[in-house]
Amino acid sequence: QAYLGKEPGVVTVMPEGKSYRARFDAAPLFARLKEPGVSVSLTPIEWVITGQGGGTWKVDQDQPLSFAMKVDGQVEMRAEAGQVKGTGVFDEALGAFSSTSTEISRFALDQTVTEQGQQARTTYTVDSITFASTMTGSGDAADGTVTGGYRGLRQTISAPAAPDGSSPAMEFTITSPDGTQTSAVKGLKTRALADLAAWLAARPSAQAIAAEQATLKEKLGAAVPLFASISGNTTMNAVSLNSVAGTFGVSRFSVDIDANGLVAEGRLRERFGFTGLTVPAELVPPWAADIVPQNAVVDVDVSGFDLAAPTKLFIDKL
């Protein structure tokens, strides 16, 4: 309730043997939407929570999930997970999960966007997604890692022809049999960020926040610099793009990122790369076949900027 509000029926907790069954049902919140033609639904989310002693709690989840949203005449989206099965340990002193492990089977998304009477559709399926995390330290400076991967990704994008006839209807299909993702964070201020989120949840209007803006500034200041550093890598294997022009592919596509938090010694690095590029033969004349790049890397590294000073100025002048 600290983070999701005290609207009746949204958060419930019931004893279940030596454990508790916690339930989050967003329906009462969605029912407050007054926009005409807008509807949103989400499967109630349930966890079984068991005390482990020492301020730690084992949290288990095992259920299917679905989400749907519709804005008449603009967008219609539905996402489903065949089963979400996970377990983790929440540590009160840390203010976060010290460990988690989750597997999602058969994730699917279907979205249709309508613009000027034309509909573009995107469908996306993944056979399975897995990820695990660990976090250690204190609520004021926690270090964590997340590792994960997927199998059987397929995405299809269908775009209508231009009304003026300048472009035909097109369809693209992207596939990848598997991929991985890793990330690491250092110095995450879990307690201060959670405290800020709870404070804002308890004051859902701009007027309520403005009435206590001195306290808001204190809580924002306590949460800075958010984290000391964050880094991550995403890799997609055997990526294939089927289009009206033929089939393009790369054996490996990767993205790396490394950044500091809101600190005085700012740094940001982004790296994009691929190996094993293949293009449709009909697009490359014989004389150019040997000069088509097989591998490429774009590496951007920016440093020497100060994010701490403008952040402090923003909070002071808020």
Side-chain angles (χ1 to χ4, degrees), residues 88-112:
V89 175
F90 185 85
D91 187 333
E92 292 181 16
L94 184 62
F97 281 87
S98 58
S99 65
T100 68
S101 177
T102 303
E103 181 174 353
I104 303 172
S105 63
R106 192 59 182 175
F107 175 81
L109 181 146
D110 193 330
Q111 175 179 282
T112 300

Side-chain angles (χ1 to χ4, degrees), residues 23 36 44 59 81 89 106 108 128 163-164 180 196 206 210 243 252 271 296:
R23 176 183 172 97
V59 181
V89 175
R106 192 59 182 175
S128 66
D164 60 4
T180 60
L196 175 61
S243 69
R252 183 175 182 269
R271 183 181 186 274

Side-chain angles (χ1 to χ4, degrees), residues 3 22 45-52 55-61 85-102 131-139 141-147 185 188-191 194:
Y3 308 104
I45 301 172
E46 295 189 348
W47 303 271
V48 174
I49 303 176
T50 307
Q52 304 290 289
T56 62
W57 301 82
K58 185 173 182 288
V59 181
D60 295 297
Q61 182 183 19
K85 187 173 184 177
T87 187
V89 175
F90 185 85
D91 187 333
E92 292 181 16
L94 184 62
F97 281 87
S98 58
S99 65
T100 68
S101 177
T102 303
F131 59 89
S133 71
T134 61
M135 187 162 286
T136 59
S138 68
D143 298 341
T145 62
V146 178
T147 60
V185 63
L188 181 64
K189 307 200 75 170
T190 56
R191 299 293 297 186

Side-chain angles (χ1 to χ4, degrees), residues 66-213:
S66 66
F67 170 79
M69 180 183 71
K70 184 177 182 180
V71 181
D72 287 347
Q74 297 183 46
V75 62
E76 186 171 355
M77 180 177 68
R78 183 172 183 83
E80 295 181 324
Q83 199 73 10
V84 178
K85 187 173 184 177
T87 187
V89 175
F90 185 85
D91 187 333
E92 292 181 16
L94 184 62
F97 281 87
S98 58
S99 65
T100 68
S101 177
T102 303
E103 181 174 353
I104 303 172
S105 63
R106 192 59 182 175
F107 175 81
L109 181 146
D110 193 330
Q111 175 179 282
T112 300
V113 176
T114 303
E115 188 173 352
Q116 297 181 347
Q118 301 287 307
Q119 289 188 334
R121 185 184 181 195
T122 299
T123 61
Y124 179 91
T125 60
V126 185
D127 290 343
S128 66
I129 303 170
T130 58
F131 59 89
S133 71
T134 61
M135 187 162 286
T136 59
S138 68
D140 191 54
D143 298 341
T145 62
V146 178
T147 60
Y150 68 84
R151 291 189 176 277
L153 180 150
R154 181 181 180 88
Q155 182 176 7
T156 301
I157 303 171
S158 303
D164 60 4
S166 59
S167 62
M170 294 181 289
E171 183 171 288
F172 304 88
T173 300
I174 302 169
T175 61
S176 170
D178 57 76
T180 60
Q181 185 173 41
T182 61
S183 62
V185 63
K186 292 186 179 298
L188 181 64
K189 307 200 75 170
T190 56
R191 299 293 297 186
L193 289 169
D195 187 35
L196 175 61
W199 191 88
L200 291 171
R203 293 158 182 81
S205 70
Q207 292 81 5
I209 293 173
E212 300 182 56
Q213 55 185 309

Side-chain angles (χ1 to χ4, degrees), residues 196 199-200 209-210 212-218 220-221 311-318:
L196 175 61
W199 191 88
L200 291 171
I209 293 173
E212 300 182 56
Q213 55 185 309
T215 303
L216 174 61
K217 291 181 180 183
E218 292 178 3
L220 286 170
T311 299
K312 183 178 184 303
L313 180 65
F314 170 79
I315 295 174
D316 290 343
K317 301 297 183 183
L318 189 66

